Amino acid sequence: MQPNFDQELEDRLVRYAAIDSQSDETSSSTPSTGIQFDMLNLLVAELQEIGAENVTLTDYGVVLATIPATAPGPAIGLLAHVDTAPQFNATGVKPRVIKNYDGGDITYPDNPDLVLSPQKSPYLASKQGDDLITASGLTLLGADDKAGVAIVMTLARHLLANPDIKHPKIRLAFTPDEEIGRGVGERLPKDLDVDFAYTLDGGDAGEIVYESFSADRAVVTVKGVSIHPGWAKEKMVNAAHLAAKIVQTLPQATMTPETTDGREGFIHITDMNGGSSEMEIKLILRDFELDGLATKGDLLRSVCDAVQASEPRAEITCEIFPQYRNMRYWLENDMTPVELALAACRAHGIEPISAPIRGGTDGSRLTEFGVPTPNIFTGMQNVHGPLEWISVQDMAKATEVCLTLVQKAVAHESR
Ligand SMILES: [Zn+2]
């Protein structure tokens, strides 16, 4: 008989979502906020209680644990992040369960102006009869990624309570600071010690994602010539004018986040700072292919060179730094982790969706470090804002898919 995970998933998400564990990109500590330890320490206690082995909280803020193998096969990692997004209020989250959703508009007790309408969301409309979880109107919910945490914990509890289920060794990892791109440090791959892994951090039921952006960031510095404006004639070089020229020369009607989608990349100015003597422009470059990414870097450099040539007394530098790479470059060499996830989905009658993700995940970094890590759906919707919601039944589907996946892995040789 298929186990029913609905109530446990609901209880766990409600419990975890009420804990404020927002990350902070302006902080330089690890984890970026001390409050993330409230989640990390709770998970340590809960993992010990359900009988997980080797439960540890590393000095870089990751909770690790083992579910021992009951059969041979490749060691599999399951990851979820404990932090919530810094983009919206995450303090005082009051999760609310809507049992047996009637298919109508959803209103919010703490914010009468807010409405979540199935007219605007076909996905919501398709969830009539499901149990939904939302916030109360003033905060995000934090299903991103407390839903992932709830799914991994529910699966772990089920496997540990049923040692007759055959599966290879499973390693669990709960990471901080995913939302600010600092979830996977250099020591995690070795400490995780698996053949491949999955992040539970995706959206619609069926999403199995193994393509992310390749990402660089750039810093352009413009140094002008500073002099008292009263005596500046033919001497001053104003850095602000030159920086404006660079921004004006970069593509605007194309190749920006607001003018692209699908498989198109972009150049995005994230920050501009300074004054007449010196300006700094920060940018991010994104593309699914490395040559496309390099072309965007070349374009930025040529714009800087052209503006430099127009004013030789200025000093313009352009530095480009790699951030993360499309996980497909590694996964296409061995699609086993992806194929297992797709097969597990289909076994539950869910047609997999594998659209490339216009961003990065903890899995992008892990894959680059040698641990192939596709991303599996949780059901989370409208993340990073007050209209965030999730269906308990979607979370249950994700739990069942993972349960099938680890059993299917038994047949596979460890690499
Ligand atoms: Zn997430």
Side-chain angles (χ1 to χ4, degrees), residues 140-174:
L140 49 69
L141 172 62
D144 179 9
D145 188 27
K146 307 278 174 67
V149 176
I151 290 162
V152 173
M153 286 299 293
T154 300
L155 179 71
R157 202 265 321 135
H158 182 72
L159 291 175
L160 288 161
N162 296 279
D164 51 311
I165 300 173
K166 300 281 176 248
H167 61 82
K169 182 170 104 171
I170 299 168
R171 291 276 285 158
L172 313 178
F174 299 104

Side-chain angles (χ1 to χ4, degrees), residues 232-249:
K233 190 168 186 195
E234 285 162 7
K235 292 187 186 113
M236 180 190 280
V237 176
N238 192 326
H241 286 300
L242 296 174
K245 223 179 196 178
I246 292 171
V247 170
Q248 195 57 30
T249 310

Side-chain angles (χ1 to χ4, degrees), residues 81 83 144-145 178-179 200-202 380 384:
H81 64 89
D83 64 316
D144 179 9
D145 188 27
E178 189 273 351
E179 297 289 357
L200 271 294
D201 197 13
M380 63 171 91
H384 301 190

Side-chain angles (χ1 to χ4, degrees), residues 342-356:
L342 298 179
C345 251
R346 292 196 178 103
H348 289 276
I350 304 164
E351 189 46 37
I353 315 158
S354 291

Side-chain angles (χ1 to χ4, degrees), residues 214-403:
S214 284
D216 286 349
R217 66 182 179 91
V219 180
V220 173
T221 323
V222 182
K223 282 189 185 134
V225 175
S226 185
I227 194 156
H228 188 293
W231 292 271
K233 190 168 186 195
E234 285 162 7
K235 292 187 186 113
M236 180 190 280
V237 176
N238 192 326
H241 286 300
L242 296 174
K245 223 179 196 178
I246 292 171
V247 170
Q248 195 57 30
T249 310
L250 283 168
Q252 292 167 56
T254 176
M255 223 187 280
T256 59
E258 62 270 36
T259 59
T260 52
D261 62 7
R263 300 192 73 89
E264 299 168 314
F266 56 72
I267 301 173
H268 176 47
I269 300 163
T270 58
D271 199 35
M272 207 166 155
N273 257 302
S276 59
S277 65
E278 186 168 338
M279 290 288 297
E280 186 182 68
I281 311 168
K282 289 183 179 164
L283 308 96
I284 57 172
L285 317 179
R286 299 288 186 264
D287 205 281
F288 286 99
E289 306 305 331
L290 285 179
D291 54 355
L293 190 64
T295 305
K296 288 173 180 63
D298 292 344
L299 175 61
L300 175 62
R301 282 200 184 91
S302 67
V303 167
C304 291
D305 289 348
V307 174
Q308 173 74 79
S310 77
E311 180 46 272
R313 292 173 298 169
E315 192 189 316
I316 300 177
T317 59
C318 172
E319 287 181 287
I320 297 178
F321 308 92
Q323 290 182 293
Y324 57 85
R325 294 292 176 256
N326 188 340
M327 57 176 113
R328 191 199 76 220
Y329 310 148
W330 289 267
L331 280 165
E332 63 192 359
N333 295 327
D334 180 359
M335 288 289 274
T336 306
V338 175
E339 280 157 9
L340 274 173
L342 298 179
C345 251
R346 292 196 178 103
H348 289 276
I350 304 164
E351 189 46 37
I353 315 158
S354 291
I357 183 167
R358 293 176 65 78
T361 65
D362 273 352
S364 317
R365 292 286 286 159
L366 267 176
T367 304
E368 202 175 336
F369 283 137
V371 184
T373 307
N375 188 28
I376 295 180
F377 70 93
T378 64
M380 63 171 91
Q381 302 290 317
N382 299 343
V383 298
H384 301 190
L387 293 175
E388 187 179 7
W389 66 277
I390 192 164
S391 149
V392 172
Q393 283 69 31
D394 275 359
M395 294 169 67
K397 279 179 198 158
T399 311
E400 287 159 18
V401 164
C402 291
L403 176 59

